[in-house]
Amino acid sequence: MKSSYNSNLTYKDLLESIIFLKNPKKIIEFGILDGFSLQVFSSKKDCQIEAYDIFEDFNGNGSSRDVVEKFKDYKNVSITYGDFYKKFLEIEDNSVDIIHIDIANNGDVYQFAIENYIKKLKNDGLLILEGGSEERDEVEWMKKYNKKKIKPYLESLKLKWKNIGNFPSITLINKI
Ligand SMILES: C[S@@+](CC[C@H](N)C(=O)[O-])C[C@H]1O[C@@H](n2cnc3c(N)ncnc32)[C@H](O)[C@@H]1O
C-alpha cells in the first residue's frame, strides 16, 4: 500500500520547516527577485531579515525596486542594495542564524559562500543555497556560459551538507 507520506511538498514547505526547526533571530538573504523566499522568511515576526540584491545591475532577470514597496509594512524586513561579492566585509563574524543565497548560483558562488560567509554564521547556523543537484548543474545557462558545476564541488567538501529535491533543488550546509 502506498504511504500517504509518499507525495510532494513544495520549496515553500521546506523553507517553512527550516524556519520552524531553527527558530532564527537573524536571517540574511542574497537574491530577492520578486520576494518569494523573502515572503516565507518574513512571516517569522521575531526574526530580523536583511535582504540584499543588486537590482538593475544584474545582467539577467534582476529584482525590481517594486519589491521594496511590497515589503514596506514588514517591520522585521530590510531590503537594500548589496552585492554578495562585497557585503561579507560588513557583516560581523558569528552573528547570523541563516544565510540564504540565491543569485544565479554556480560552483564558484558556492565556493565564495563557503570561503566568506560560513564564518558569519553562529556555530549552529545554516547556509541555504539554491541548486546543487545533478539536474540543476545541467541547466541551459550553466552550460552556455561554461559555469563551474555545483555538485562535484559539494562532493569535494569536508563540511556537512544535504541537497534536497531534483530541480532546482536546495542545499543546506551546517557551519559545524
Ligand atoms: C533567482 S533570483 C532570486 C529568487 C528569489 N530568492 C525567489 O525566491 O524568488 C536571483 C536574484 O539575485 C540577484 N543577484 C544577482 N547577482 C547578485 C549579487 N552579486 N548580489 C546580490 N544579488 C544578486 C538578481 O538581481 C536576482 O534578483
Side-chain angles (χ1 to χ4, degrees):
M1 191 180 124
K2 185 179 179 290
S3 166
S4 57
Y5 275 162
N6 195 10
S7 61
N8 291 327
L9 288 170
T10 64
Y11 288 90
K12 180 171 183 270
D13 297 322
L14 173 61
L15 292 174
E16 281 176 350
S17 306
I18 293 170
I19 298 305
F20 175 76
L21 290 167
K22 288 220 72 89
N23 191 25
K25 297 289 180 263
K26 181 164 181 182
I27 297 177
I28 292 184
E29 170 168 277
F30 288 98
I32 305 170
L33 196 61
D34 300 329
F36 182 86
S37 48
L38 186 56
Q39 185 84 61
V40 178
F41 298 143
S42 65
S43 63
K44 180 141 174 55
K45 298 292 174 207
D46 63 346
C47 177
Q48 222 29 62
I49 300 126
E50 287 175 18
Y52 297 105
D53 205 287
I54 54 170
F55 301 99
E56 53 286 339
D57 288 345
F58 181 52
N59 184 18
N61 186 20
S63 187
S64 127
R65 300 272 178 179
D66 294 348
V67 82
V68 176
E69 179 66 19
K70 186 168 166 183
F71 288 92
K72 73 174 185 335
D73 294 330
Y74 287 76
K75 295 199 173 15
N76 58 331
V77 176
S78 72
I79 296 180
T80 343
Y81 183 100
D83 186 346
F84 167 74
Y85 293 104
K86 298 185 182 144
K87 202 75 204 171
F88 70 98
L89 295 168
E90 296 164 32
I91 301 169
E92 209 183 308
D93 287 353
N94 304 305
S95 68
V96 192
D97 295 295
I98 292 179
I99 301 179
H100 176 231
I101 299 165
D102 185 7
I103 62 159
N105 294 352
N106 61 60
D108 288 325
V109 172
Y110 269 57
Q111 186 167 352
F112 194 94
I114 283 159
E115 288 173 0
N116 299 290
Y117 282 98
I118 286 263
K119 57 168 96 68
K120 306 299 169 191
L121 292 168
K122 295 178 191 165
N123 282 345
D124 61 349
L126 182 70
L127 203 55
I128 306 177
L129 303 108
E130 181 271 342
S133 66
E134 218 162 281
E135 290 86 336
R136 173 56 173 70
D137 273 342
E138 295 303 317
V139 71
E140 192 232 326
W141 63 266
M142 288 261 296
K143 293 203 274 192
K144 184 172 168 195
Y145 298 108
N146 201 20
K147 295 293 183 187
K148 179 161 123 181
K149 287 183 194 280
I150 298 168
K151 193 172 179 220
Y153 173 69
L154 274 173
E155 283 170 343
S156 76
L157 293 174
K158 288 205 172 75
L159 289 159
K160 275 194 271 175
W161 59 272
K162 168 95 184 138
N163 178 254
I164 301 159
N166 296 322
F167 192 92
S169 82
I170 275 188
T171 299
L172 308 179
I173 304 179
N174 281 323
K175 179 168 178 178
I176 29 182

